[in-house]
Amino acid sequence: MKFQSAVVALLCGASPTLASKRQHQQVLIVDTTPINVLESESEYVQKQAAQSYTRLLANIRPNGAVQASPSSENPDYAYHWVRDAATVMSAVPVANATHALFWKWAAFETTLQHTQNPSSPHFTLGEPKFNLDGSAYTRDWGRPQNDGPATRVLALVRFAEMYLEQGGSLDKVRKYLYTPEMPALSVIKADLEYVARVWDVQGVELWEEVRGDHYHTRLVQAAALFIGARFANKMNDAGAASYYTSKAHEVYRSIESNFWSVEKEYIQSSIRVQNGPAAKTSFLDVSVVLAAIYTRHAFSLAPPALSDSTMHSFDGPQVLLTALQLASKMKELYTINQIRDDLAPGIGRYTEDVYDGYTTTGLGNPWFLATLGYAELTFSLAHQFCRLGSISRSASANPLMDKALSWILDGGFMGQSLSSPITPGISQHLSCIENSHEFQNLIQNLTFAGDAYIARVRAHVPDHDGEVGNTVGSLSEQFHRDTGFMQGAVELTWSHASFLTMKAARDDAMESCSRVCGK
């Protein structure tokens, strides 16, 4: 089947200044002229990916620190977040040209692990952010954030394994990244020991607002322990590998038992909440989707091997139903999402959000990294299904998957509510061999939605040169729910990283889906 691309017409108009963006007095003009999408969207992805990579690298300091954004005031994001930095480095290709960059970052992270901070002594590695010179940030903040060490494991193991595959020095990896000796002093080993010890301790989630138990934190912790056990075996640390595997199963079982709401039919982002925004009551949150796509490679290499290990996989029904429900809520929530039906909805963090990029007294907006996360999810699903030539991983039908697939076919990833009847057994009988036409329709819907999310992003970024943070290739943190203008931290490194990982997923989908079912 030929790879399908979304039919796109871009919003256009003069790029606003930062001042005009803050005033929200202008609105984007809708241009309804169709463009040649198949060529234009792919060309845009290539150009934006190059711009995003350049801006991402510009935000990495010579000492290995990864600044979240050049914005140093209103908002002040000029810090190194452990989680954010690891997420960003996971988007950087591992190649001879980038080896030195990874080693500098690894050395900086090792220094941070031994830096006394307000989370010391019991949760030292859970300290969320540091000054760019590596010194501790000592003011009040949401502590600890225990997804940071786990995310760092995922990024460092990815680097170490690819570095070794490319002929890198095993002695160097053993000396600077993973040393079996205890107490753990090497960066990966120290993080794994920390995660194994504190995984069931409550903390603050990735949005730095809620204290409790968090799905995103638990899933990256489980993935880190599974992939860490695999890596420990490679480093001749068999005893530790067995321990990490045992702990990984504990973490994964806790996820299976606690976060899925049977009544609401979505994964709750936080449970047993101690405090957080009073308005946040649904806990229907894009962090669930982000957790699923950020861990998919780790779980593919080191799967949980439990009775229902796909429950919280990126292609599992629980994750899909969560994503579809949130997309439909976001479609209704933001004015810009109601203007054009051929653009996918801009996705925010959660429906009750009041952080507008500057204050917590406004209304939340779509985020670039969230919207790009949805594109990455749809392309990842298309690639997975095209690669397998089918949907089902088991011989039995799954009613939740039946609902998810029916919803996707009904435009769910474009933000539509489920209006057509659910097809019983569709998850069991959808492949190149059985119901091939419907199977290919599903792939088309996924790739259509993926490019429609790209088109949504494209509609809200500058298309000509301007000032710093507001020029061709710029991606801020958010875009305004009514005007569509970018706002919040400029050149958010995480936004650029999200574009790069989305492009990688799109490339995989284009390759596998171009020859699905023998076509």
Side-chain angles (χ1 to χ4, degrees):
M1 183 183 73
K2 189 175 181 180
F3 180 81
Q4 301 294 319
S5 183
V7 177
V8 181
L10 295 177
L11 301 175
C12 67
S15 296
T17 64
L18 292 177
S20 68
K21 286 193 293 181
R22 292 297 310 278
Q23 294 167 357
H24 312 312
Q25 292 178 345
Q26 295 176 290
V27 295
L28 292 175
I29 302 170
V30 179
D31 180 1
T32 57
T33 305
I35 61 175
N36 187 330
V37 182
L38 190 59
E39 295 179 2
S40 178
E41 215 57 44
S42 293
E43 181 181 356
Y44 168 72
V45 169
Q46 294 293 335
K47 289 180 179 178
Q48 180 59 52
Q51 294 275 12
S52 284
Y53 188 51
T54 297
R55 284 163 168 76
L56 182 153
L57 294 179
N59 282 344
I60 301 178
R61 296 294 184 89
N63 65 349
V66 180
Q67 67 175 2
S69 163
S71 294
S72 57
E73 59 180 2
N74 196 32
D76 183 6
Y77 275 36
Y79 298 96
H80 174 101
W81 269 267
V82 173
R83 169 194 53 254
D84 300 27
T87 303
V88 166
M89 293 304 293
S90 292
V92 175
V94 179
N96 288 333
T98 60
H99 288 171
L101 182 68
F102 277 97
W103 284 115
K104 286 183 180 180
W105 169 63
F108 186 77
E109 295 290 359
T110 303
T111 299
L112 298 186
Q113 286 184 330
H114 301 284
T115 300
Q116 290 296 304
N117 57 67
S119 294
S120 302
H122 300 297
F123 303 105
T124 302
L125 301 191
E127 180 66 12
K129 74 175 185 178
F130 292 81
N131 296 316
L132 293 173
D133 63 1
S135 61
Y137 179 86
T138 57
R139 285 176 278 173
D140 288 342
W141 208 253
R143 301 178 172 96
Q145 293 179 28
N146 287 327
D147 59 339
T151 310
R152 186 162 54 196
V153 167
L154 296 176
L156 283 169
V157 169
R158 167 184 173 265
F159 163 62
E161 293 190 332
M162 297 184 74
Y163 169 77
L164 291 173
E165 288 173 5
Q166 294 164 9
S169 168
L170 178 59
D171 288 341
K172 189 172 184 179
V173 169
R174 285 176 170 163
K175 181 176 181 179
Y176 294 110
L177 299 182
Y178 192 102
T179 304
E181 286 76 16
M182 293 289 288
L185 298 177
S186 55
V187 60
I188 295 176
K189 176 81 168 178
D191 277 340
L192 287 168
E193 291 291 322
Y194 179 81
V195 171
R197 178 173 63 85
V198 308
W199 71 265
D200 57 350
V201 175
Q202 289 198 325
V204 179
E205 33 70 277
L206 76 168
W207 306 137
E208 307 190 307
E209 296 177 337
V210 176
R211 184 176 298 277
D213 295 330
H214 313 294
Y215 182 85
H216 175 274
T217 301
R218 290 280 174 90
L219 199 64
V220 295
Q221 287 174 331
L225 288 166
F226 278 119
I227 204 74
R230 178 176 179 267
F231 190 67
N233 268 323
K234 291 184 177 181
M235 296 295 106
N236 297 320
D237 197 8
S242 178
Y243 171 64
Y244 300 148
T245 300
S246 174
K247 286 293 182 179
H249 282 103
E250 285 185 38
V251 180
Y252 204 89
R253 281 193 291 268
S254 79
I255 299 171
E256 289 183 310
S257 303
N258 289 289
F259 290 90
W260 172 253
S261 171
V262 175
E263 178 186 358
K264 298 175 181 177
E265 288 195 335
Y266 63 77
I267 297 168
Q268 299 172 104
S269 60
S270 298
I271 59 174
R272 292 189 278 271
V273 172
Q274 291 184 10
N275 53 60
K280 187 172 186 178
T281 57
S282 70
F283 295 101
L284 177 60
D285 191 307
V286 75
S287 63
V288 170
V289 175
L290 299 180
I293 60 175
Y294 293 163
T295 57
R296 74 183 188 279
H297 294 304
F299 280 132
S300 69
L301 293 171
L306 299 174
S307 58
D308 192 10
S309 60
T310 63
M311 176 181 285
H312 296 284
S313 172
F314 75 97
D315 60 340
Q318 286 84 352
V319 170
L320 295 181
L321 287 174
T322 303
L324 293 166
Q325 284 211 50
L326 185 60
S328 120
K329 300 287 185 184
M330 292 294 173
K331 172 78 171 179
E332 300 171 356
L333 185 63
Y334 304 136
T335 301
I336 57 169
N337 288 344
Q338 298 162 19
I339 297 174
R340 297 288 300 275
D341 286 336
D342 55 344
L343 299 183
I347 304 295
R349 300 191 300 177
Y350 54 92
T351 56
E352 307 95 336
D353 198 0
V354 295
Y355 177 59
D356 62 7
Y358 307 110
T359 73
T360 56
T361 58
L363 292 173
N365 299 302
W367 283 43
F368 284 106
L369 67 89
T371 306
L372 288 165
Y374 264 69
E376 184 170 344
L377 175 62
T378 57
F379 289 130
S380 298
L381 290 166
H383 170 61
Q384 174 83 336
F385 298 154
C386 287
R387 184 179 63 85
L388 296 174
S390 66
I391 302 299
S392 180
R393 292 191 183 189
S394 65
S396 59
N398 185 322
L400 291 178
M401 192 58 135
D402 292 344
K403 181 173 182 178
L405 296 177
S406 296
W407 200 344
I408 294 171
L409 286 165
D410 202 27
F413 273 118
M414 293 295 288
Q416 303 303 318
S417 298
L418 180 60
S419 58
S420 300
I422 298 170
T423 305
I426 189 174
S427 60
Q428 187 181 15
H429 304 292
L430 207 59
S431 69
C432 287
I433 299 173
E434 195 171 3
N435 295 319
S436 174
H437 178 71
E438 198 78 344
F439 175 68
Q440 293 187 62
N441 282 343
L442 180 78
I443 302 301
Q444 180 174 334
N445 276 24
L446 289 169
T447 56
F448 181 97
D451 268 6
Y453 280 110
I454 296 172
R456 168 57 66 188
V457 166
R458 185 181 180 185
H460 300 285
V461 298
D463 60 1
H464 60 273
D465 290 332
E467 61 190 87
V468 174
N470 186 36
T471 189
V472 173
S474 292
L475 289 175
S476 293
E477 180 183 65
Q478 307 176 26
F479 46 101
H480 193 267
R481 60 196 283 150
D482 297 324
T483 69
F485 292 144
M486 296 196 306
Q487 65 183 60
V490 302
E491 304 295 9
L492 191 74
T493 321
W494 194 347
S495 294
H496 289 298
S498 295
F499 199 95
L500 297 176
T501 55
M502 178 280 298
K503 178 186 179 296
R506 185 180 190 270
D507 289 346
D508 287 342
M510 290 183 71
E511 193 278 329
S512 59
C513 294
S514 66
R515 50 185 173 77
V516 66
C517 300
K519 295 185 178 181

